[in-house]
Amino acid sequence: ARYIAAKACQRAVLAAYLGVEPGGLVFEANPYGKPYLGGEQQGTELRFNLSHTRGLGVLAAARGADLGVDVERVRGREVDLGLARRFFSTREVAALEGLPAAEQKEAFFTCWTRKEAYIKARGEGLSFPLDKFSVSLAPGVPPALLSNDVDPQEPGRWDIYHLALGPGYAGALVVPAQGWAFKQYRWPVANQGDP
């Protein structure tokens, strides 16, 4: 039900941006599964990315710029350092392990959402190894792509933005480094319960 609701909201918002009926939108996907507008809307250059987790969804849209967004519910009693060692870069694992235990869980999810948003912006999904690039994760450190082992020029090409989504959530938006101005809207919710 959450998946269907998120996709319906995505369709409604994108249609409103384009001034068309939601049912007229055609969605296609690149070889890695990243969706884009096809059909008559393909030439509009409207790019989008959707992420949702229990109780929250985020849709990002821009004209002519690839972007990626990720949101996660911060959960669990403590961070799974084994999972971090499996998927994070050596630099990220060292930064995470260097934090006080009380800060590790939030830093883990901050790192995870920044990494996911970055690979989604690139449009290559998990075909791009998560341990081959590093993002900032420590509290108080500005969001940034710190390094990319495959292409050292990448950090200068992308900006990472922290999404303030409320207690219990971590989120990130990645866009090309162009000095963006953002507008944030909240979708009307009829029922304030957990969807």
Side-chain angles (χ1 to χ4, degrees):
R2 288 185 196 106
Y3 175 83
I4 292 169
K7 292 296 184 176
C9 290
Q10 172 182 278
R11 184 175 286 274
V13 169
L14 296 177
Y17 270 113
L18 296 171
V20 300
E21 289 297 316
L25 294 179
V26 174
F27 293 93
E28 298 182 23
N30 76 8
Y32 301 100
K34 183 174 182 177
Y36 63 90
L37 289 170
E40 294 178 13
Q41 288 80 37
Q42 190 165 6
T44 65
E45 295 275 323
L46 183 63
R47 311 273 171 69
F48 63 93
N49 198 233
L50 172 69
S51 180
H52 52 91
T53 188
R54 186 178 174 111
L56 182 70
V58 175
L59 173 68
R63 287 207 188 264
D66 290 316
L67 48 83
V69 67
D70 191 54
V71 60
E72 296 288 339
R73 188 172 200 152
V74 178
R75 57 197 180 278
R77 291 180 182 244
E78 53 189 50
V79 70
D80 184 345
L81 291 174
L83 190 63
R85 289 184 194 108
R86 182 173 172 203
F87 292 108
F88 292 0
S89 70
T90 304
R91 182 177 185 175
E92 291 163 339
V93 171
L96 185 63
E97 290 178 339
L99 291 173
E103 295 178 0
Q104 287 182 349
K105 183 170 68 169
E106 185 175 338
F108 174 89
F109 284 99
T110 294
C111 184
W112 189 269
T113 56
R114 290 175 184 176
K115 292 177 87 62
E116 285 281 331
Y118 173 65
I119 62 172
K120 289 169 79 175
R122 287 178 54 96
E124 299 174 33
L126 291 172
S127 69
F128 193 87
L130 291 173
D131 63 348
K132 296 297 181 194
F133 65 95
S134 298
V135 298
S136 61
L137 58 87
V141 175
L145 177 63
L146 301 173
S147 66
N148 181 317
D149 297 346
V150 177
D151 183 352
Q153 303 301 313
E154 279 286 277
R157 293 185 189 132
W158 299 96
D159 285 336
I160 299 178
Y161 293 88
H162 169 78
L163 300 178
L165 302 170
Y169 293 97
L173 171 68
V174 174
V175 293
Q178 297 176 5
W180 292 91
F182 296 101
K183 292 182 182 178
Q184 183 175 332
Y185 303 97
R186 183 172 297 274
W187 187 264
V189 178
N191 180 347
Q192 294 298 319
D194 191 19

